[in-house]
Amino acid sequence: MMSFLDKMKWRYAAKAMNGEKVPQEKIDRILEAIRLAPTSSGLQPFEVLVITNDSLKEQIRKIAFNQRQVTECSHLLVFAAWDTYTKERINHIFDLTNEIRGIKNEGWENYRQMLLDYYPQRDAELNFQHTARQTYIAMMAAMAQAAFDKVDSTPMEGFENDKLDKLLNLSEKGLKSTLILPLGYRDEANDWLTNLAKARHPKEELFTMID
Ligand SMILES: Cc1cc2nc3c(=O)[nH]c(=O)nc-3n(C[C@H](O)[C@H](O)[C@H](O)COP(=O)(O)O)c2cc1C
């Protein structure tokens, strides 16, 4: 069995995809990886839209600098973070946690109160910066699971967020798009990047050992 690092070497940000459909069971596993991804305080402050509709993909490609993976993919994931933290949103996940665990714990309830006293009062933009960061972790979980299933993916920030928010009516839901992730299969014949070596900083530039 290939190791995690082998999968990381296999994956790359595909620049062209061949339109082949990804089987539902693989999509389900990728979505489950997103659901299981860690988030700050476990708040999971985002939603993910799973788009297979061709005309919608076309419209999104137009506001994603015409990047072809947007239409050549099988499924297009749109990560949309909460536009801010509210008391309702925080209470919802804490109540859900109590329900799932079947216990109420004083330390946990104190922690809930601390978050309730802190986040909802804060500037919405600052809160959004925080919720947006959580989507990057979830996206990486999706990319890793995709690689395990030999599904290609391309992490993308290259789109006009405001226009995508409008197109998908995200602000009505209190959401703002942060990332899109086309899932599909690399088109080796048309992808200039397929056979190029990975370029990464050498270890010495990246890591500082402090003993
Ligand atoms: C947050 C983020 C945003 C990115 N946005 C785009 C994008 O809009 N279009 C694209 O083709 N690649 C995009 N990339 C891919 C990176 O360029 C790529 O991951 C990086 O060059 C490393 O190469 P590799 O992923 O092929 O190993 C993005 C990557 C990340 C992590």
Side-chain angles (χ1 to χ4, degrees):
M1 189 167 160
M2 279 168 92
S3 71
F4 182 70
L5 291 183
D6 290 329
K7 305 290 179 189
M8 289 283 281
K9 286 175 190 158
W10 175 82
R11 69 144 295 281
Y12 74 118
K15 303 297 175 200
M17 291 184 176
N18 63 14
E20 206 184 305
K21 288 283 155 216
V22 177
Q24 189 59 43
E25 76 219 44
K26 295 191 179 195
I27 296 297
D28 290 344
R29 282 196 288 270
I30 292 166
L31 299 184
E32 185 64 358
I34 292 171
R35 204 175 72 91
L36 291 173
T39 55
S40 182
S41 297
L43 292 171
Q44 286 185 286
F46 55 82
E47 294 181 26
V48 179
L49 285 72
V50 183
I51 297 171
T52 52
N53 181 285
D54 286 330
S55 68
L56 191 51
K57 283 191 209 161
E58 286 289 348
Q59 287 172 273
I60 295 173
R61 178 169 168 169
K62 290 196 188 97
I63 54 177
F65 306 104
N66 199 31
Q67 297 191 75
R68 52 192 289 180
Q69 311 94 313
V70 174
T71 51
E72 292 171 350
C73 68
S74 165
H75 292 64
L76 181 70
L77 305 190
V78 175
F79 290 80
W82 293 353
D83 57 1
T84 190
Y85 286 113
T86 63
K87 289 197 185 307
E88 293 70 33
R89 282 169 157 172
I90 293 170
N91 278 324
H92 176 62
I93 185 68
F94 274 78
D95 291 344
L96 183 65
T97 303
N98 287 346
E99 196 185 310
I100 290 170
R101 294 185 177 157
I103 51 159
K104 232 178 163 185
N105 168 292
E106 197 192 324
W108 184 239
E109 290 305 319
N110 290 341
Y111 190 63
R112 176 207 301 250
Q113 199 51 53
M114 196 183 84
L115 296 187
L116 287 172
D117 292 340
Y118 183 51
Y119 284 140
Q121 284 71 255
R122 267 196 342 178
D123 179 54
E125 178 56 30
L126 189 60
N127 280 339
F128 171 65
Q129 293 304 328
H130 188 253
T131 61
R133 286 197 290 272
Q134 315 310 315
T135 63
Y136 286 72
I137 301 167
M139 181 183 72
M140 186 62 232
M143 291 168 63
Q145 179 57 41
F148 267 83
D149 267 322
K150 280 239 159 182
V151 172
D152 284 293
S153 64
T154 313
M156 284 190 179
E157 281 178 325
F159 63 93
E160 294 174 83
N161 301 62
D162 290 347
K163 288 186 184 167
L164 188 59
D165 294 354
K166 269 213 183 77
L167 182 64
L168 300 173
N169 296 317
L170 293 180
S171 37
E172 284 165 29
K173 296 199 223 164
L175 300 171
K176 289 164 90 156
S177 59
T178 57
L179 293 161
I180 58 177
L181 185 71
L183 298 168
Y185 297 99
R186 61 186 70 174
D187 179 354
E188 299 199 4
N190 289 303
D191 189 345
W192 56 271
L193 189 54
T194 301
N195 294 313
L196 295 185
K198 274 211 185 298
R200 294 292 193 266
H201 286 135
K203 282 185 286 198
E204 305 73 56
E205 286 180 27
L206 194 53
F207 304 112
T208 301
M209 304 303 164
I210 303 177
D211 295 327

